[in-house]
């Protein structure tokens, strides 16, 4: 096969040189007409898809950031109370966590070590350490934004830690921990672009991930863009790099990861939403919600939240300020 391939490359080169030789002898060659060619797109691209809020029913008003109060003391690692959700996880021998592998700084695969890393992954490791005394006892399941709710409802995962905004619509289907980070939606464009914010995107092609709050907010914009919806945030960066969209719009956290990877893109305009990130937990496991909230409180008082913030998110001169915990009971 290799020999055949090599021969056809050589033949192509000989023909090319032959044509060049003819052309240079004073007889111009007719150039083949190149009509517009569809550029390759990421799998699953949809233009202006329907909004998916994560709840089919009427959404009751709520404070999406108010979670369930943890009990005073966390159980010792390896000694989860019998009959609890945490005990079932301990007996299984691993925590199953739905995460991303495409979002630099939050959940991404380190190409050198092949390990998943980032601010969200550190939160998963804190929960595993609290259950087992070992942060590595985790089975990661890589899921898209659109798969988060179903992964929790079907019991495929114990928790989702994936740049997930706590919203009232999502509370209908799942529980959230207290807020562990507050992001805000912004706009990312090519460094040479004249666009300065969301208000200039009306009718223009803007990329966002399916099943994200970002899509819903773009649709509500006074100047709604043409929404190009993809499965992964990294697909949006590639489409922007290839000029197939004029902007990407989502949480500034995710966009900061893109800026860190590509010096040719920039974030513009102010935050126009607030996105309080919570850890997603199945609706029926309230003991797990209280436990995870206890773990989050301890990560803030014990320093692991600050260490992780400083490693992944801090801009020069930033002070790490964890969001205050809010409970409704
Ligand atoms: N925070 C937003 C959400 O939960 C966007 C982030 C994402 O889709 O990963 O929908």
């Amino acid at each position: 096969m290799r020999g055949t391939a090599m021969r056809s490359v050589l033949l192509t080169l000989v023909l090319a040189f032959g044509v060049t030789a003819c052309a240079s002898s004073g007889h111009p060659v007719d150039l083949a007409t190149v009509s517009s060619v569809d550029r390759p797109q990421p799998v699953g691209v949809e233009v202006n898809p329907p909004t998916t809020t994560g709840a089919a029913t009427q959404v009751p008003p709520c404070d999406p950031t108010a979670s369930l109060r943890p009990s005073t003391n966390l159980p010792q690692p390896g000694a989860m109370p019998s009959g609890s959700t945490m005990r079932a996880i301990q007996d299984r021998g691993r925590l199953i966590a739905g995460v991303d592998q495409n979002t630099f700084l939050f959940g991404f695969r380190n190409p050198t070590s092949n390990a998943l890393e980032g601010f969200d992954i550190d939160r998963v490791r804190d929960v595993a350490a609290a259950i087992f005394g070992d942060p590595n006892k985790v089975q990661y399941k890589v899921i898209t934004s659109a798969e988060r709710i179903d992964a929790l409802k079907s019991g495929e995962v114990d928790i989702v830690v994936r740049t997930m905004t706590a919203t009232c619509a999502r509370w209908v289907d799942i529980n959230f921990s207290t807020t562990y980070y507050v992001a805000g939606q912004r706009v990312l464009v090519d460094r040479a672009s004249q666009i300065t914010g969301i208000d200039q995107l009306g009718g223009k092609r803007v990329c966002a991930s399916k099943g994200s709050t970002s899509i819903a907010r773009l649709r509500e914009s006074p100047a709604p863009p043409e929404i190009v919806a993809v499965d992964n945030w990294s697909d949006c960066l590639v489409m922007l790099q290839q000029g197939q969209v004029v902007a990407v719009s989502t949480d500034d956290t995710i966009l900061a990861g893109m800026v860190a990877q590509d010096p040719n893109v920039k974030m513009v305009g102010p935050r126009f939403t607030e996105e309080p990130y919570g850890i997603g937990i199945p609706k029926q496991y309230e003991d797990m919600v209280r436990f995870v909230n206890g773990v989050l409180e301890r990560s803030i008082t014990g320093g692991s939240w600050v260490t992780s913030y400083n490693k992944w998110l801090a801009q020069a001169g930033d002070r790490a300020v964890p969001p205050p915990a809010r409970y409704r009971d």
Side-chain angles (χ1 to χ4, degrees):
M1 274 309 276
R2 285 194 60 166
T4 318
M6 184 61 82
R7 269 196 299 282
S8 60
V9 169
L10 285 173
L11 186 63
T12 314
L13 287 173
V14 168
L15 286 173
F17 275 108
V19 168
T20 316
C22 291
S24 61
S25 67
H27 302 283
V29 176
D30 282 346
L31 296 174
T33 323
V34 177
S35 55
S36 70
V37 176
D38 277 348
R39 278 173 291 181
Q41 297 197 346
V43 177
V45 173
E46 275 179 59
V47 177
N48 287 331
T51 318
T52 48
T53 57
T57 46
Q58 195 78 35
V59 177
C62 79
D63 174 356
T65 63
S67 186
L68 306 178
R69 191 173 298 280
S71 39
T72 338
N73 288 318
L74 280 175
Q76 287 301 308
M80 296 299 112
S82 68
S84 68
T85 307
M86 297 76 78
R87 182 55 177 260
I89 297 168
Q90 182 191 314
D91 291 346
R92 184 206 290 137
R94 63 193 193 286
L95 172 72
I96 306 179
V99 298
D100 196 3
Q101 65 171 358
N102 295 301
T103 296
F104 184 49
L105 305 177
F106 271 78
F108 69 99
R109 201 169 279 284
N110 179 323
T112 315
S113 64
N114 214 28
L116 288 163
E117 294 182 4
F119 191 73
D120 279 345
I121 304 297
D122 286 348
R123 305 287 67 77
V124 176
R125 290 170 61 79
D126 282 347
V127 176
I131 296 175
F132 300 101
D134 179 351
N136 295 312
K137 291 208 164 160
V138 182
Q139 177 185 356
Y140 291 103
K141 290 206 173 175
V142 172
I143 53 173
T144 63
S145 300
E147 290 167 341
R148 292 175 293 194
I149 303 265
D150 283 346
L152 288 164
K153 283 173 86 175
S154 68
E156 198 191 323
V157 297
D158 300 316
I159 55 173
V160 164
V161 193
R162 201 194 165 290
T163 54
M164 189 169 193
T165 303
T167 66
C168 295
R170 290 173 175 167
W171 266 104
V172 172
D173 287 317
I174 63 164
N175 284 319
F176 282 99
S177 72
T178 188
T179 306
Y180 65 90
Y181 189 81
V182 183
Q185 187 165 345
R186 291 185 66 191
V187 171
L188 184 87
V189 292
D190 189 278
R191 187 154 283 286
S193 169
Q194 303 296 311
I195 288 168
T196 55
I198 177 79
D199 49 325
Q200 288 167 15
L201 295 178
K204 299 205 167 73
R205 284 168 65 86
V206 177
C207 188
S209 179
K210 291 176 200 168
S212 66
T213 53
S214 320
I215 287 200
R217 314 276 197 247
L218 284 173
R219 203 170 272 123
E220 289 156 17
S221 164
E226 181 169 286
I227 298 165
V228 178
V230 295
D231 289 328
N232 293 297
W233 289 114
S234 48
D235 294 335
C236 278
L237 178 58
V238 172
M239 290 192 90
L240 181 65
Q241 289 165 335
Q242 295 186 348
Q244 298 193 45
V245 294
V246 301
V248 179
S249 182
T250 184
D251 305 346
D252 48 3
T253 44
I254 297 173
L255 299 180
M258 296 183 187
V259 171
Q261 289 173 86
D262 183 350
N264 294 313
V265 297
K266 64 180 178 188
M267 249 192 275
V268 293
R271 279 182 169 192
F272 53 90
T273 69
E274 228 175 56
E275 309 289 332
Y277 288 172
I279 296 179
I281 297 161
K283 198 75 194 162
Q284 64 273 35
Y285 300 141
E286 293 201 349
D287 58 345
M288 184 70 175
V289 180
R290 294 183 198 280
F291 178 80
V292 166
N293 283 338
V295 175
L296 282 175
E297 276 197 2
R298 202 177 55 186
S299 75
I300 288 169
T301 52
S304 83
W305 188 97
V306 170
T307 307
S308 172
Y309 177 90
N310 286 338
K311 179 169 180 189
W312 300 113
L313 309 181
Q315 307 285 325
D318 259 9
R319 207 166 59 81
V321 184
R326 288 176 46 73
Y327 304 116
R328 62 177 137 90
D329 64 346

Coordinates of all heavy atoms in Angstrom, one line a residue, residues 145 148 162-165 170 211-214 233 250-251 254 275 277, ligand 1:
S145 N -22.3 19.1 27.5 CA -23.2 19.9 28.3 C -24.6 19.3 28.3 O -25.3 19.3 29.3 CB -23.3 21.3 27.7 OG -22.0 21.9 27.7
R148 N -25.6 16.3 30.7 CA -25.4 16.3 32.2 C -26.6 15.9 33.0 O -26.5 15.1 33.9 CB -25.0 17.8 32.6 CG -23.7 18.2 32.1 CD -23.3 19.6 32.4 NE -24.2 20.5 31.6 CZ -23.9 21.8 31.5 NH1 -22.8 22.3 32.1 NH2 -24.7 22.6 30.8
R162 N -19.1 20.0 36.1 CA -18.8 20.4 34.7 C -19.3 21.7 34.3 O -20.3 21.9 33.6 CB -19.5 19.3 33.8 CG -18.9 19.2 32.4 CD -19.8 18.4 31.5 NE -19.4 18.6 30.1 CZ -19.5 19.8 29.4 NH1 -20.1 20.8 30.0 NH2 -19.2 19.9 28.2
T163 N -18.7 22.8 34.9 CA -19.1 24.2 34.6 C -20.6 24.3 34.5 O -21.1 25.0 33.7 CB -18.4 24.7 33.3 OG1 -18.8 23.8 32.2 CG2 -16.9 24.8 33.4
M164 N -21.3 23.7 35.5 CA -22.7 23.6 35.4 C -23.4 24.7 36.3 O -23.3 24.7 37.5 CB -23.2 22.3 35.9 CG -24.6 22.0 35.6 SD -25.0 20.3 35.9 CE -26.6 20.2 35.1
T165 N -24.2 25.6 35.6 CA -24.9 26.6 36.3 C -26.1 26.0 37.0 O -26.9 25.3 36.4 CB -25.4 27.7 35.3 OG1 -24.2 28.2 34.6 CG2 -26.1 28.8 36.0
R170 N -33.2 23.5 36.1 CA -32.4 22.3 36.3 C -32.8 21.7 37.7 O -32.7 20.5 37.9 CB -30.9 22.6 36.2 CG -30.6 22.8 34.7 CD -29.1 23.3 34.6 NE -28.8 23.4 33.1 CZ -27.7 24.0 32.7 NH1 -26.8 24.6 33.5 NH2 -27.4 24.1 31.4
G211 N -27.5 22.4 24.9 CA -27.8 22.1 26.3 C -27.2 23.0 27.3 O -27.3 22.8 28.5
S212 N -26.6 24.1 26.9 CA -26.0 25.1 27.8 C -27.0 26.3 28.0 O -27.8 26.6 27.2 CB -24.7 25.6 27.2 OG -24.9 26.4 26.1
T213 N -26.8 26.9 29.2 CA -27.5 28.1 29.4 C -27.1 29.2 28.4 O -27.9 30.1 28.1 CB -27.2 28.7 30.9 OG1 -25.8 28.8 31.0 CG2 -27.8 27.7 31.9
S214 N -25.9 29.1 27.9 CA -25.4 30.1 27.0 C -26.3 30.3 25.8 O -26.5 31.4 25.3 CB -24.0 29.8 26.5 OG -23.2 29.2 27.6
W233 N -17.3 22.6 23.6 CA -16.8 24.0 23.6 C -15.5 24.1 22.7 O -15.3 25.1 22.0 CB -16.5 24.5 25.0 CG -17.7 24.7 25.7 CD1 -18.2 24.1 26.8 CD2 -18.8 25.7 25.4 NE1 -19.4 24.6 27.2 CE2 -19.8 25.5 26.3 CE3 -18.9 26.6 24.4 CZ2 -21.0 26.3 26.3 CZ3 -20.1 27.4 24.3 CH2 -21.1 27.2 25.3
T250 N -20.1 32.2 25.8 CA -20.4 31.4 27.0 C -19.7 32.0 28.2 O -19.3 33.1 28.2 CB -20.0 29.9 26.8 OG1 -20.4 29.1 27.9 CG2 -18.5 29.8 26.6
D251 N -19.6 31.2 29.3 CA -19.0 31.6 30.5 C -17.6 32.1 30.3 O -16.8 31.5 29.6 CB -19.0 30.5 31.5 CG -20.4 29.9 31.7 OD1 -21.4 30.5 31.3 OD2 -20.4 28.8 32.3
I254 N -14.8 29.5 30.6 CA -14.5 28.7 29.5 C -13.8 29.5 28.4 O -12.8 29.0 27.8 CB -15.8 28.1 28.9 CG1 -16.5 27.2 30.0 CG2 -15.6 27.3 27.6 CD1 -17.9 26.7 29.7
E275 N -23.5 33.1 36.4 CA -23.6 31.7 36.3 C -23.0 31.0 37.5 O -21.8 30.8 37.6 CB -22.8 31.2 35.0 CG -23.1 31.9 33.7 CD -24.5 31.6 33.2 OE1 -25.0 30.5 33.4 OE2 -25.1 32.5 32.5
Y277 N -21.9 28.2 39.6 CA -21.6 26.8 39.4 C -21.9 25.9 40.6 O -21.5 26.2 41.7 CB -20.1 26.5 39.0 CG -19.7 27.0 37.7 CD1 -18.4 27.0 37.3 CD2 -20.6 27.5 36.7 CE1 -17.9 27.4 36.1 CE2 -20.2 27.9 35.5 CZ -18.9 27.9 35.1 OH -18.4 28.3 33.9
Ligands
LIG1 N1 -22.5 27.3 32.7 C1 -23.3 27.0 31.5 C2 -24.2 25.8 31.6 O1 -24.2 25.2 32.7 C3 -22.4 26.8 30.3 C4 -21.3 25.9 30.5 C5 -21.3 24.5 29.8 O2 -22.2 24.3 29.0 O3 -20.4 23.7 30.0 O4 -24.9 25.5 30.8

